[in-house]
Every structure is written in C-alpha cells, then in structure tokens.
Amino acid sequence: MPMRTRATALATLAVAALAAGTVLTAPAGAAPKKAAPPKFLAASELPPHPTSTWTAGPVTDGFPAELAYCLGEGVPAYDYRHRVFHTDLDTGAAQVTVVTGSAAKGKALAALLNKEIRSCADRIEMSDPETEAEGRYYGRLPVEEGATVHGLHTETSWGATDIHLLSVGRDGRTVTVVGWGQMGDFGDAPVAAFKKTTKKAVNKLY
C-alpha cells in the first residue's frame, strides 16, 4: 500500500469544501474567468526509484488518505486537491495542494502544517503504544515563499519499519505538501532527491 504506516490513523480528516478560486476581472458582457489551478508534479519528477518506475494517478478533489498519519484533524477545511503516485514495489508518494483566500492565510496554513508534521512522531507514539516514531528536520529550501523538509521513521513492536519524507511549500496564497514513503529507516531516505522534488513542486504551481 503506498505511503503506508503501521501506526493507526490519528484522526478522520475534515475536508468540507470551501470556495477557494479567485475570479479575475472580465470586460463588460464577458463571462468571468477563474484563475488557472495550480499544477502538480509528474511521475518523472519524483525521487528516482532504483528498480521500479513511478506511476501517477489523476488529480482528485479532497485530502489524500496517504498523508492522514501525520495531517489529521488539525488540518483546516479547504478545497484540497491531490495526486497519488506509486511504484510496482512498496514505495509511494502523494502531493496535496490548496489555494487559500490570501497570502496571509497561506502563510498561516503552511505554518500549521509544519507544526503538525513536527509533532507527528509524538502523536503516533501516544496513539499507538506498539509503535516507536522519530522525526527529523532537514531544513528550509529557498523557493518562492519557502519550503521545509521533514523525515519520519516508525517501527512497530513486531519489527515493521517505515520511513517517510514530507515537505511543505508555499507560493503566495497557495500551499502544497509532498509526501514520500517506503519500508526502511533514515538511511534509506533519498533526502537530496526529495529536496529537488519539493523545489520542483513549488516552482511548478504557477
């Protein structure tokens, strides 16, 4: 299962739809035009897999279940859109994007998402005594209004181990989260390649 973790999902996501598109001014008598939606990563833009090929799913409305292990009930309700990626093996990824009402709201949402990710390991251990979790911070990237990269490792009492990389980036009022995961530990995480993917994701939004 892509982006799986053996830890129990922390909460049911609140994804009630709220209007988020911006309407541009149109000449008299013309139909108003909506701003172009943010673009998503392509499969070829993810960290290369050594033995398999990435496949991209369609862009879909809603918040992806693949990111629910860290971003649960603390995520505000917006019009989220997402794309899920998978390989033929155990590696998976997901990207979620949201257009907020203003740059200030985008900044606040990005800060909240980063806070949720930083506290993810502690919340996993509190919700599942059979799982040990450790988070790491891999720094900030100089792209548009900035992006931050995090790592998360989980290990169950019966030996199952998973490694995840997550990033939060912002371009004005638009925020995107990218997640990657597979079986393994921190030594198996392609941090440098994931940082390149994150920069591409933010630059590609518009």
Side-chain angles (χ1 to χ4, degrees):
M1 179 185 296
M3 291 294 292
R4 68 185 185 278
T5 181
R6 276 80 171 181
T8 304
L10 301 176
T12 301
L13 296 175
V15 291
L18 295 175
T22 298
V23 177
L24 302 179
T25 303
K33 290 177 62 180
K34 288 187 177 180
K39 295 180 181 178
F40 281 76
L41 289 166
S44 61
E45 295 165 330
L46 292 170
H49 192 281
T51 60
S52 187
T53 302
W54 285 102
T55 299
V59 175
T60 306
D61 291 338
F63 199 96
E66 287 78 4
L67 298 179
Y69 60 92
C70 264
L71 302 175
E73 62 183 1
V75 178
Y78 275 110
D79 270 344
Y80 296 100
R81 300 172 74 232
H82 70 274
R83 169 174 274 177
V84 175
F85 307 84
H86 66 86
T87 67
D88 294 333
L89 300 176
D90 68 310
T91 308
Q95 181 185 9
V96 60
T97 297
V98 57
V99 182
T100 67
S102 66
K105 290 182 178 179
K107 182 178 181 179
L109 177 60
L112 176 60
L113 294 172
N114 276 304
K115 181 180 178 182
E116 291 290 305
I117 293 172
R118 287 195 303 269
S119 66
C120 184
D122 289 341
R123 288 185 284 116
I124 286 175
E125 289 188 343
M126 289 177 61
S127 67
D128 185 359
E130 299 296 314
T131 300
E132 293 184 359
E134 178 187 354
R136 291 187 182 179
Y137 177 62
Y138 289 114
R140 184 175 175 85
L141 302 178
V143 54
E144 297 299 341
E145 275 68 59
T148 52
V149 179
H150 310 262
L152 174 71
H153 176 246
T154 59
E155 184 173 0
T156 66
S157 59
W158 58 90
T161 179
D162 291 281
I163 181 65
H164 298 273
L165 295 174
L166 299 109
S167 62
V168 180
R170 182 172 69 91
D171 183 354
R173 65 190 186 124
T174 301
V175 178
T176 190
V177 178
V178 181
W180 170 98
Q182 68 175 31
M183 294 175 62
D185 56 27
F186 285 112
D188 301 307
V191 177
F194 185 75
K195 287 183 176 181
K196 292 180 180 179
T197 293
T198 295
K199 291 182 72 173
K200 183 68 176 181
V202 178
N203 277 323
K204 192 176 182 180
L205 289 171
Y206 298 106

